[in-house]
Amino acid sequence: MNEKTTPSKPRHVRDVSEWHKTTDVAVIGFGGAGSCAAIEAADAGSRVMIFEAASASGGSTALSSAEVYMGGNGGTRVQRECGLEDKSEDMYNYLMQAGGDFADSAKVKNYVDGSVDHFDWLVSMGAKYKNSIYNERAIMAMTDDCLLYTGSEKAWPYRDIAKPCPRGHNLEVEGDNGGPMLMGILTEQVESRDINVHYDSRALTLIVDDSNSVVGIVVRIDQQELNIKAEKGVILCAGGFVMNEEMLKKYAPSLLKASIPIGNPNDTGFGIKMGMSVGGAAINMHDGFVTLPYYPPSSLTYGILVNASGQRFINEDCYHGRVGYHCLQQPGDRIYLVFSAEDFGEYETQSYLNADIAGTGETLCELEEELGLPNGVLQNTVETYNINAAKGEDPLLHKSDEWLKPIKAPFAALDCTPGRGAFYPYFTLGGLDTLPSGEVVTSNGDVIPGLYAAGRTACGIPRTGACYSSGLSVGDATFTGRMAGKQAAKRK
Amino acid sequence: MNEKTTPSKPRHVRDVSEWHKTTDVAVIGFGGAGSCAAIEAADAGSRVMIFEAASASGGSTALSSAEVYMGGNGGTRVQRECGLEDKSEDMYNYLMQAGGDFADSAKVKNYVDGSVDHFDWLVSMGAKYKNSIYNERAIMAMTDDCLLYTGSEKAWPYRDIAKPCPRGHNLEVEGDNGGPMLMGILTEQVESRDINVHYDSRALTLIVDDSNSVVGIVVRIDQQELNIKAEKGVILCAGGFVMNEEMLKKYAPSLLKASIPIGNPNDTGFGIKMGMSVGGAAINMHDGFVTLPYYPPSSLTYGILVNASGQRFINEDCYHGRVGYHCLQQPGDRIYLVFSAEDFGEYETQSYLNADIAGTGETLCELEEELGLPNGVLQNTVETYNINAAKGEDPLLHKSDEWLKPIKAPFAALDCTPGRGAFYPYFTLGGLDTLPSGEVVTSNGDVIPGLYAAGRTACGIPRTGACYSSGLSVGDATFTGRMAGKQAAKRK
């Protein structure tokens, strides 16, 4: 069986001469989604097998900082202990807005309603969250503190739509070590159950019956093709497609303007393709997370981003991902971050950005010339910005007054133009269309019996890089994994 | 069989107890693509049946002005007779740029290489094109003249990428009457051949065999479900999905910000769904054509478009579709076309725009206030524009000097904000992934034997509203219909 072309076509059960293994639920992929799916299915009394392509558990969740976006329902334990009340309505309204045009209200509602329960479940698995807040404008908490703002909750227009509340939950661990810790915890939980784990197992194609129900999966282990019977169903938790350049070119070419794909090598889209091969609808395939990590240092938030016309285009106090997304949308061929030299701060040691200084100047005119921007435009832009900033206002783009102050000489600019060295990591947000239960549906919304998807193999809560928030991918993966595991176990 | 859910699942040939009709090639849809597919398949010696859902031929082509985008290869007869030389390289480079990130080079090359041949073929069918140019900046030729610029060929950045040449070919007919004329010609050609046409025929689902090859189609005629055997294959020419609100919400929700779907009532996406049901990959589903027809009168091109920040965002001499697309992308909630009152011209009688006057003023300050734009920003924008325009320059957005002149008092502004009355028509550009031959492929690029698609059921040459050109849809539909017809006829 040709590996590349395999998921194009399911195997029909009539061509299965032998079942090599039988289980109730076959879970494909042992990352955040797969582990949670397996645990829930097992806890509901099902026999479960996991097939993981790599030699260990982890997936892309282990490579992340494993923040989990949770709240609503009055607040998680941590939110409440920190004196924060988080209404479900606010979380729902924020997530609907953050999902953009493609937001799925049924999924968002389900995620919000189950969010505090999800927190408690993660804690019951062994995840530790300290009752504390990390009060920096940061990409992640580098201390073992828990709560931080990981989205654009405090920025326009979100602040007017929903009461801001920090919902990113960081594990009680210092540094960027949440991913390995979370996957360690979940792996231990899987191992403590009667779940059959197969590593180095390549899922090849689904097995369907006459009614197009999924009844099993073909996997290759030790160079043997095995037909696995899955009496309740197959849950695809095989990640997204950010590592598949051919698929990116076909479905999400604009992401290729960004610089570094984030994910694990098995994020090749094979789970999505398997679903498509039996009529599963792949949706929102063009969109992805992309970011420009221009803070820390947070002081650079006092700066302004301008495009090749010397014009601002986004309130710079937004989440770094929202900003990065808009940078990639700009016409013209340049993006500069312009700031007062005094706000350069600890850029050299703290920044992930990798952007070069593009120009400096004692006057705006000098800087404008050095950057080669159209005569007078940057001067206009900064002067207008400064006049309003001095009054604590940004009538153009509504940056919060917390981050408003006039930009003063000496001036400097960082070159954030895509393709010129600045760090623009990205991953995909499109995948199989599923119900909140994790059941995969066709283009008509009909359930494909026996097929489930979760995590980035499905199109979940996060839908657009334009308003992503950290913690949504691991939050969605672990949550939807659980939903799919429970649903599959329920199947008669 | 439930109509809504039908295309979710193909019928297996083992469930076919009787073949009610047998043909070589079954063409689904009798619009621009379907007629051309049927003619070519018949001319290659195949037995052909057409199944059309409506009671007459036409499809969305009949509702269009039927401009066809053609050129290259030194030029069509009309281009050459008008003294224009059009190199294939220029047409190729323009179309690749106009396709945006999603451009398909193999398809573009095939289209360009075959373009003059396509012109000659249309003429051989009976299409009449006068050797003349319509020299207005217009949406369509209202005279019987042939050639016009129907894209952004003369606008930045395209003018620097490819030598501009008018490639929109308008039939020799006055007024907006090209669509009925072209479909009249093609229908006559179909009728003059031994092609079996069935009207009022609803295609329900594909029929596949054990190897997932398409061997026929189920249609409903006179309330009878008929199994049609198609020995060489089925060609889906069933239009796009602009009339299916549920699909729009799922796949292309941003188009719903526009105002009026353009197409025929059967543009419900059923052809695309049928292809997906057998593993065909639907690509580029989020994008569509959308436009803001702010000319005629062409004099409004001297104006500038500004967003809620009072900033320009596009060179206003672009094609109306490119401009409309960018209007929908703007942050904030307002779009104004600001111009000198003297350029209002014949707006009342010539315009399709339907936009209201949002403000007027003897000074920019007055206009700015009336529009409620942030203090000073519009003044800055216009002053900067005027200083440069007086020099014949637009360093910000590179509008051509042909359309540059300072904007003078008295000033006026039209409200082009989406949702406030301005006319923003749209249609879809996503569809089944096909080879240049019209063969439908899976997510792995594997051909699905016996399945072809053309026109808006496939994802063809036009890929993004950001740089669409008129004549690409009818051009692509008629051209890819021919390719698919020939390819299907060749199949053993």
Side-chain angles (χ1 to χ4, degrees), chain A residues 24-25 41 46 232-235 437 452 483-492:
Chain A
D24 288 327
V25 177
S46 288
K232 287 174 182 287
V234 173
I235 309 180
S437 59
Y452 307 84
M483 295 298 116
K486 285 188 204 183
Q487 187 72 23
K490 266 198 284 200
R491 191 160 169 249
K492 301 289 177 228

PDB file of all heavy atoms in Angstrom, chain A residues 24-25 41 46 232-235 437 452 483-492:
ATOM      1  N   ASP A  24     -12.771  -1.745  21.147  1.00  0.00           N
ATOM      2  CA  ASP A  24     -13.980  -0.938  20.987  1.00  0.00           C
ATOM      3  C   ASP A  24     -13.624   0.377  20.290  1.00  0.00           C
ATOM      4  O   ASP A  24     -14.221   0.771  19.307  1.00  0.00           O
ATOM      5  CB  ASP A  24     -14.608  -0.625  22.360  1.00  0.00           C
ATOM      6  CG  ASP A  24     -15.259  -1.844  22.986  1.00  0.00           C
ATOM      7  OD1 ASP A  24     -15.786  -2.686  22.231  1.00  0.00           O
ATOM      8  OD2 ASP A  24     -15.215  -1.970  24.220  1.00  0.00           O
ATOM      9  N   VAL A  25     -12.612   1.042  20.859  1.00  0.00           N
ATOM     10  CA  VAL A  25     -12.263   2.367  20.359  1.00  0.00           C
ATOM     11  C   VAL A  25     -10.786   2.388  19.965  1.00  0.00           C
ATOM     12  O   VAL A  25      -9.916   2.050  20.770  1.00  0.00           O
ATOM     13  CB  VAL A  25     -12.522   3.441  21.451  1.00  0.00           C
ATOM     14  CG1 VAL A  25     -12.084   4.819  20.960  1.00  0.00           C
ATOM     15  CG2 VAL A  25     -13.998   3.462  21.851  1.00  0.00           C
ATOM     16  N   ALA A  41     -12.725   7.278  27.162  1.00  0.00           N
ATOM     17  CA  ALA A  41     -13.367   6.081  26.602  1.00  0.00           C
ATOM     18  C   ALA A  41     -13.154   4.894  27.541  1.00  0.00           C
ATOM     19  O   ALA A  41     -14.085   4.107  27.798  1.00  0.00           O
ATOM     20  CB  ALA A  41     -12.807   5.778  25.213  1.00  0.00           C
ATOM     21  N   SER A  46     -15.007   1.221  27.892  1.00  0.00           N
ATOM     22  CA  SER A  46     -14.646   0.662  26.588  1.00  0.00           C
ATOM     23  C   SER A  46     -13.232   0.078  26.587  1.00  0.00           C
ATOM     24  O   SER A  46     -12.357   0.532  27.317  1.00  0.00           O
ATOM     25  CB  SER A  46     -14.711   1.761  25.519  1.00  0.00           C
ATOM     26  OG  SER A  46     -16.038   2.103  25.236  1.00  0.00           O
ATOM     27  N   LYS A 232     -16.646   0.242  18.305  1.00  0.00           N
ATOM     28  CA  LYS A 232     -17.397   1.475  18.569  1.00  0.00           C
ATOM     29  C   LYS A 232     -16.932   2.631  17.685  1.00  0.00           C
ATOM     30  O   LYS A 232     -17.699   3.555  17.421  1.00  0.00           O
ATOM     31  CB  LYS A 232     -17.286   1.866  20.043  1.00  0.00           C
ATOM     32  CG  LYS A 232     -18.107   0.954  20.967  1.00  0.00           C
ATOM     33  CD  LYS A 232     -17.865   1.255  22.416  1.00  0.00           C
ATOM     34  CE  LYS A 232     -18.647   0.328  23.336  1.00  0.00           C
ATOM     35  NZ  LYS A 232     -20.094   0.615  23.370  1.00  0.00           N
ATOM     36  N   GLY A 233     -15.705   2.572  17.262  1.00  0.00           N
ATOM     37  CA  GLY A 233     -15.277   3.614  16.333  1.00  0.00           C
ATOM     38  C   GLY A 233     -13.807   3.976  16.405  1.00  0.00           C
ATOM     39  O   GLY A 233     -13.054   3.469  17.240  1.00  0.00           O
ATOM     40  N   VAL A 234     -13.436   4.877  15.508  1.00  0.00           N
ATOM     41  CA  VAL A 234     -12.066   5.359  15.388  1.00  0.00           C
ATOM     42  C   VAL A 234     -12.057   6.842  15.720  1.00  0.00           C
ATOM     43  O   VAL A 234     -12.894   7.601  15.207  1.00  0.00           O
ATOM     44  CB  VAL A 234     -11.531   5.127  13.960  1.00  0.00           C
ATOM     45  CG1 VAL A 234     -10.164   5.777  13.777  1.00  0.00           C
ATOM     46  CG2 VAL A 234     -11.460   3.632  13.647  1.00  0.00           C
ATOM     47  N   ILE A 235     -11.153   7.253  16.605  1.00  0.00           N
ATOM     48  CA  ILE A 235     -11.031   8.684  16.940  1.00  0.00           C
ATOM     49  C   ILE A 235      -9.712   9.193  16.367  1.00  0.00           C
ATOM     50  O   ILE A 235      -8.633   8.749  16.767  1.00  0.00           O
ATOM     51  CB  ILE A 235     -11.067   8.916  18.469  1.00  0.00           C
ATOM     52  CG1 ILE A 235     -12.285   8.222  19.090  1.00  0.00           C
ATOM     53  CG2 ILE A 235     -11.089  10.406  18.769  1.00  0.00           C
ATOM     54  CD1 ILE A 235     -12.398   8.405  20.609  1.00  0.00           C
ATOM     55  N   SER A 437     -19.831  16.827  19.953  1.00  0.00           N
ATOM     56  CA  SER A 437     -19.559  15.483  20.472  1.00  0.00           C
ATOM     57  C   SER A 437     -18.299  14.863  19.883  1.00  0.00           C
ATOM     58  O   SER A 437     -17.872  13.801  20.323  1.00  0.00           O
ATOM     59  CB  SER A 437     -20.730  14.574  20.117  1.00  0.00           C
ATOM     60  OG  SER A 437     -20.875  14.550  18.699  1.00  0.00           O
ATOM     61  N   TYR A 452     -14.729   9.782  14.611  1.00  0.00           N
ATOM     62  CA  TYR A 452     -14.619  10.914  15.524  1.00  0.00           C
ATOM     63  C   TYR A 452     -13.293  11.618  15.254  1.00  0.00           C
ATOM     64  O   TYR A 452     -12.344  11.002  14.762  1.00  0.00           O
ATOM     65  CB  TYR A 452     -14.659  10.421  16.983  1.00  0.00           C
ATOM     66  CG  TYR A 452     -15.857   9.549  17.250  1.00  0.00           C
ATOM     67  CD1 TYR A 452     -15.822   8.183  16.943  1.00  0.00           C
ATOM     68  CD2 TYR A 452     -17.033  10.085  17.755  1.00  0.00           C
ATOM     69  CE1 TYR A 452     -16.942   7.380  17.148  1.00  0.00           C
ATOM     70  CE2 TYR A 452     -18.150   9.294  17.967  1.00  0.00           C
ATOM     71  CZ  TYR A 452     -18.097   7.935  17.653  1.00  0.00           C
ATOM     72  OH  TYR A 452     -19.204   7.159  17.846  1.00  0.00           O
ATOM     73  N   MET A 483     -14.522  14.761  24.807  1.00  0.00           N
ATOM     74  CA  MET A 483     -15.879  14.651  24.233  1.00  0.00           C
ATOM     75  C   MET A 483     -15.960  13.439  23.303  1.00  0.00           C
ATOM     76  O   MET A 483     -16.902  12.651  23.357  1.00  0.00           O
ATOM     77  CB  MET A 483     -16.230  15.913  23.426  1.00  0.00           C
ATOM     78  CG  MET A 483     -16.330  17.200  24.221  1.00  0.00           C
ATOM     79  SD  MET A 483     -17.625  17.173  25.482  1.00  0.00           S
ATOM     80  CE  MET A 483     -16.616  17.308  26.956  1.00  0.00           C
ATOM     81  N   ALA A 484     -14.964  13.322  22.437  1.00  0.00           N
ATOM     82  CA  ALA A 484     -14.975  12.237  21.448  1.00  0.00           C
ATOM     83  C   ALA A 484     -14.845  10.879  22.140  1.00  0.00           C
ATOM     84  O   ALA A 484     -15.519   9.912  21.752  1.00  0.00           O
ATOM     85  CB  ALA A 484     -13.848  12.448  20.439  1.00  0.00           C
ATOM     86  N   GLY A 485     -14.000  10.819  23.149  1.00  0.00           N
ATOM     87  CA  GLY A 485     -13.821   9.556  23.875  1.00  0.00           C
ATOM     88  C   GLY A 485     -15.128   9.103  24.519  1.00  0.00           C
ATOM     89  O   GLY A 485     -15.522   7.929  24.428  1.00  0.00           O
ATOM     90  N   LYS A 486     -15.816  10.047  25.161  1.00  0.00           N
ATOM     91  CA  LYS A 486     -17.091   9.710  25.797  1.00  0.00           C
ATOM     92  C   LYS A 486     -18.129   9.286  24.763  1.00  0.00           C
ATOM     93  O   LYS A 486     -18.880   8.347  24.964  1.00  0.00           O
ATOM     94  CB  LYS A 486     -17.639  10.944  26.540  1.00  0.00           C
ATOM     95  CG  LYS A 486     -16.935  11.265  27.834  1.00  0.00           C
ATOM     96  CD  LYS A 486     -17.734  12.379  28.531  1.00  0.00           C
ATOM     97  CE  LYS A 486     -16.874  13.170  29.473  1.00  0.00           C
ATOM     98  NZ  LYS A 486     -17.631  14.184  30.199  1.00  0.00           N
ATOM     99  N   GLN A 487     -18.184  10.043  23.667  1.00  0.00           N
ATOM    100  CA  GLN A 487     -19.208   9.773  22.655  1.00  0.00           C
ATOM    101  C   GLN A 487     -18.994   8.403  22.005  1.00  0.00           C
ATOM    102  O   GLN A 487     -19.942   7.644  21.810  1.00  0.00           O
ATOM    103  CB  GLN A 487     -19.179  10.881  21.589  1.00  0.00           C
ATOM    104  CG  GLN A 487     -20.292  10.811  20.564  1.00  0.00           C
ATOM    105  CD  GLN A 487     -21.643  11.209  21.144  1.00  0.00           C
ATOM    106  OE1 GLN A 487     -21.715  11.918  22.145  1.00  0.00           O
ATOM    107  NE2 GLN A 487     -22.719  10.710  20.535  1.00  0.00           N
ATOM    108  N   ALA A 488     -17.750   8.107  21.685  1.00  0.00           N
ATOM    109  CA  ALA A 488     -17.456   6.813  21.056  1.00  0.00           C
ATOM    110  C   ALA A 488     -17.818   5.679  22.005  1.00  0.00           C
ATOM    111  O   ALA A 488     -18.412   4.671  21.592  1.00  0.00           O
ATOM    112  CB  ALA A 488     -15.980   6.744  20.666  1.00  0.00           C
ATOM    113  N   ALA A 489     -17.492   5.859  23.282  1.00  0.00           N
ATOM    114  CA  ALA A 489     -17.770   4.793  24.253  1.00  0.00           C
ATOM    115  C   ALA A 489     -19.259   4.523  24.394  1.00  0.00           C
ATOM    116  O   ALA A 489     -19.688   3.414  24.690  1.00  0.00           O
ATOM    117  CB  ALA A 489     -17.166   5.167  25.612  1.00  0.00           C
ATOM    118  N   LYS A 490     -20.048   5.563  24.170  1.00  0.00           N
ATOM    119  CA  LYS A 490     -21.506   5.445  24.287  1.00  0.00           C
ATOM    120  C   LYS A 490     -22.128   4.653  23.149  1.00  0.00           C
ATOM    121  O   LYS A 490     -23.271   4.221  23.239  1.00  0.00           O
ATOM    122  CB  LYS A 490     -22.136   6.853  24.264  1.00  0.00           C
ATOM    123  CG  LYS A 490     -22.368   7.448  25.631  1.00  0.00           C
ATOM    124  CD  LYS A 490     -23.358   8.601  25.548  1.00  0.00           C
ATOM    125  CE  LYS A 490     -22.716   9.853  24.976  1.00  0.00           C
ATOM    126  NZ  LYS A 490     -23.397  11.085  25.258  1.00  0.00           N
ATOM    127  N   ARG A 491     -21.397   4.567  22.037  1.00  0.00           N
ATOM    128  CA  ARG A 491     -22.013   4.009  20.831  1.00  0.00           C
ATOM    129  C   ARG A 491     -22.335   2.533  21.022  1.00  0.00           C
ATOM    130  O   ARG A 491     -21.513   1.781  21.523  1.00  0.00           O
ATOM    131  CB  ARG A 491     -21.060   4.206  19.652  1.00  0.00           C
ATOM    132  CG  ARG A 491     -21.709   3.905  18.331  1.00  0.00           C
ATOM    133  CD  ARG A 491     -20.970   4.556  17.179  1.00  0.00           C
ATOM    134  NE  ARG A 491     -21.469   4.022  15.941  1.00  0.00           N
ATOM    135  CZ  ARG A 491     -20.777   3.242  15.127  1.00  0.00           C
ATOM    136  NH1 ARG A 491     -19.509   2.964  15.405  1.00  0.00           N
ATOM    137  NH2 ARG A 491     -21.327   2.768  14.027  1.00  0.00           N
ATOM    138  N   LYS A 492     -23.503   2.156  20.575  1.00  0.00           N
ATOM    139  CA  LYS A 492     -23.913   0.745  20.711  1.00  0.00           C
ATOM    140  C   LYS A 492     -23.247  -0.081  19.617  1.00  0.00           C
ATOM    141  O   LYS A 492     -23.140   0.341  18.484  1.00  0.00           O
ATOM    142  CB  LYS A 492     -25.448   0.628  20.580  1.00  0.00           C
ATOM    143  CG  LYS A 492     -26.218   1.436  21.606  1.00  0.00           C
ATOM    144  CD  LYS A 492     -26.110   0.844  22.999  1.00  0.00           C
ATOM    145  CE  LYS A 492     -26.843   1.716  24.004  1.00  0.00           C
ATOM    146  NZ  LYS A 492     -26.112   2.030  25.199  1.00  0.00           N
TER     147      LYS A 492
END
